Amino acid sequence: MKALSQRTLNIAASLTVAIDSLAKQMIAEGKDVVSLGAGEPDFPTPSAVCEAACDAIHNGKTRYTAPVGIMDVRKAVCEKLKNDNGLNFTPEQIVMTSGAKHAVFNALAALINPGDEVIIPAPYWVTYPELVKWLGGVPVFVHAGAETNFKITAKQLASACTEKTKVVLINNPCNPTGAVYSKAELEALAKVIVEKDIYCISDEVYEYFVYEAEFVSMAIFKGMEERTIVVNGFSKSHCMTGWRIGYDAAPLPIAKIIGKVQSQATHHPSNIAQYAALGALKMGKQEIQKMKDEFLKRRNFMVENISVILGEKVSAPEGAFYLFAPVSKYFGMKTAAGEVIANSIDFCQYLLETQMLAIVPGAAFGNDGFVRFSYAASDDALAKACERFKKGIDSLKA
Ligand code: GLU
């Protein structure tokens, strides 16, 4: 048999998805797993969204749509971008996608030539480097450590740029750290991006979950409109993870290329999910606000409890719904079975096997010294998770 695609063999499967699938399978098998693995809000999809989808089905909106999506939906996305973010996009610049992940893929596909460098602040969402590699690009990581609140500076960005740099991928608020860039920090990054004449993919899927800070879109700054692709979706804001619906908002020539890719690859995201997204855009923000209030309480609970368990203060993430906690001090310790915990993967595997607690190793996000908890889970699940985390740690021996 001839060899399979080397390019595809070279990329790793998503660890967040793998952990989520494993935890769900274990739960289906009757195991008492507490899963803080995937970032998946535990609230139901709002009824207004479900009704919009049901109406679409009953009204025969079950045929193909244009590759870029339904005009009314794209118009509603433009209104959202105008009202919430102060951005001026036309419907021709919007491409509806099968979730924000797909929107990131589309954006990279439109920009990358083999050998192009893509700057990715690390820690990063697990998917970014793999998609870059898959498309023949080269991920270039810029360290954003706890000492800088997990954010990169304009100076770091400038020094990471080379002749080959094509794009920087900014995730604000950030998964897995919850870091939120201030307006001044973004403006400084934008200046470098314009000066170096590179593109920016701005993944803003957690925009509504910002607690003490203010969310500002990267596309707002001078010179950024023509070089920024805004990525967003409904999975997190409207508890629509399984609906797979998001979008790219891009400069017109880029939106056109994305539409072309989509016409060949997927044709378009589900017609029904697009109408559901329209329902989401029309329903107002009360439910998002309620969720955000809940997430804030849960964040505080997790920060407080995990800090006590670790015996060190874990700083409160300003956005998203993840807590990125340092665990490297447990590396080198032994489990009751005599196995050595060498890294964050061993650590998480140990917690899953012995405590039935699913969390994600920092290695997935480019920082092995940490683990990620998703606190988009019920109070009960979070309390149990803390108990199990403590029990797991207390059972390790030096
Ligand atoms: N984005 C979520 C996470 O990071 C869902 C899983 C995924 O697509 O990575 O957990």
Side-chain angles (χ1 to χ4, degrees), residues 121-137:
Y124 46 76
W125 179 41
V126 61
T127 289
Y128 298 147
E130 303 311 308
L131 290 183
V132 169
K133 286 190 266 174
W134 197 19
L135 291 160

Side-chain angles (χ1 to χ4, degrees), residues 14 16-17 37-40 101 125-127 175 206 236 322 365 372:
S14 165
T16 48
V17 171
E40 178 166 53
K101 187 181 291 196
W125 179 41
V126 61
T127 289
N175 172 8
Y206 297 96
K236 319 292 179 184
Y322 304 107
F365 310 107
R372 189 194 78 175

Side-chain angles (χ1 to χ4, degrees), residues 85-104:
N85 311 112
L87 301 173
N88 294 305
F89 284 95
T90 63
E92 292 69 34
Q93 294 176 271
I94 310 298
V95 183
M96 300 308 294
T97 61
S98 298
K101 187 181 291 196
H102 183 211
V104 173

Side-chain angles (χ1 to χ4, degrees), residues 127-172:
T127 289
Y128 298 147
E130 303 311 308
L131 290 183
V132 169
K133 286 190 266 174
W134 197 19
L135 291 160
V138 180
V140 173
F141 302 112
V142 176
H143 177 70
E147 64 290 350
T148 55
N149 293 324
F150 298 112
K151 294 186 259 190
I152 62 163
T153 61
K155 204 167 153 206
Q156 281 179 294
L157 177 60
S159 40
C161 285
T162 71
E163 285 288 288
K164 292 187 179 158
T165 306
K166 179 62 86 56
V167 50
V168 57
L169 224 163
I170 299 290
N171 181 206
N172 181 42

Side-chain angles (χ1 to χ4, degrees), residues 144-152 174 177-181 185 315-316 318:
E147 64 290 350
T148 55
N149 293 324
F150 298 112
K151 294 186 259 190
I152 62 163
C174 174
T177 64
V180 178
Y181 286 85
E185 287 163 343
S315 53
E318 286 187 320

